Amino acid sequence: MSQQLSHNESIFSKKTFPVTLVCDNIVFQPNIGSLFRIAEAFGVSEIIFVGEDIALTPRKINRTSRSTHNMVKHQVIEKTEDAINFITQTDSHIVALEITDKSIPLTKAKFSIDKPIVLIAGSEISGISESFLNVAHQAVHIEMFGDNSSMNVVQAVGIALYDITSKIG
């Protein structure tokens, strides 16, 4: 019979991947906290929150982040244009996690450790802005088999980070 391990007994080794998560106007505090937690779990190098009303109030995000907001490098860039300038100057492979007319299934996407990856996730309401879609080198989507065509941004990012880190790790 198996025995559940505590955090201190886990068999996982700490690793950081050359992946930056860009959060395009994601503002819901529980989602922000959960994004910190999932980013820390998958060894994301940095989170960039883009938008003017991004409140990184530790008191409100700590419950879902479980203190990972203190572990993951992050910054807020208020203007989309400034964030685009920042990520396009990094010579990274820019990937939009969005269903578009040119997106491919995430499972078919190829990623390489040779170039840093910028993964863009969009707003809970409107998804990724057109400005970010225009600078993405590729758009990927998660294939779904129900009637719904979207899922919560945190779950989508978790699936994408699992796939990306599995392919480059």
Side-chain angles (χ1 to χ4, degrees), residues 15-147:
K15 188 172 187 180
T16 302
F17 291 94
V19 176
T20 297
L21 175 61
V22 173
C23 300
D24 180 15
N25 283 287
I26 295 172
V27 297
F28 189 49
Q29 293 281 299
N31 283 344
I32 290 171
S34 294
L35 286 167
F36 273 112
R37 192 168 177 188
I38 203 77
E40 196 279 331
F42 283 108
V44 167
S45 297
E46 180 178 13
I47 304 175
I48 300 172
F49 294 96
V50 181
E52 293 182 10
D53 297 319
I54 309 299
L56 298 181
T57 312
R59 181 177 56 82
K60 291 191 175 186
I61 62 173
N62 193 41
R63 186 171 187 168
T64 53
S65 81
R66 305 221 12 191
S67 298
T68 55
H69 62 283
N70 296 318
M71 301 173 200
V72 179
K73 179 180 173 189
H74 61 279
Q75 63 176 304
V76 174
I77 301 177
E78 290 188 358
K79 297 189 184 317
T80 299
E81 303 79 31
D82 293 340
I84 287 172
N85 288 336
F86 182 80
I87 65 170
T88 55
Q89 291 175 5
T90 62
D91 191 37
S92 297
H93 182 67
I94 303 171
V95 180
L97 180 59
E98 187 69 82
I99 300 169
T100 73
D101 60 343
K102 294 182 180 150
S103 63
I104 63 169
L106 176 63
T107 55
K108 293 187 169 121
K110 306 253 188 277
F111 302 101
S112 170
I113 194 77
D114 298 334
K115 202 171 204 182
I117 297 167
V118 172
L119 177 65
I120 304 170
S123 156
E124 297 94 343
I125 306 300
S126 55
I128 296 175
S129 65
E130 192 173 324
S131 299
F132 275 117
L133 287 176
N134 288 335
V135 298
H137 298 118
Q138 77 180 120
V140 297
H141 62 263
I142 298 165
E143 290 183 286
M144 292 180 277
F145 306 101
D147 291 328

Side-chain angles (χ1 to χ4, degrees), residues 4-12 37 66:
Q4 183 178 14
L5 299 178
S6 71
H7 291 290
N8 295 335
E9 298 169 320
S10 76
I11 56 174
F12 306 115
R37 192 168 177 188
R66 305 221 12 191

Side-chain angles (χ1 to χ4, degrees), residues 148-169:
N148 190 9
S149 66
S150 69
M151 65 177 66
N152 176 277
V153 66
V154 177
Q155 281 76 32
V157 167
I159 291 167
L161 288 175
Y162 176 81
D163 188 77
I164 292 168
T165 56
S166 294
K167 289 175 179 173
I168 66 174

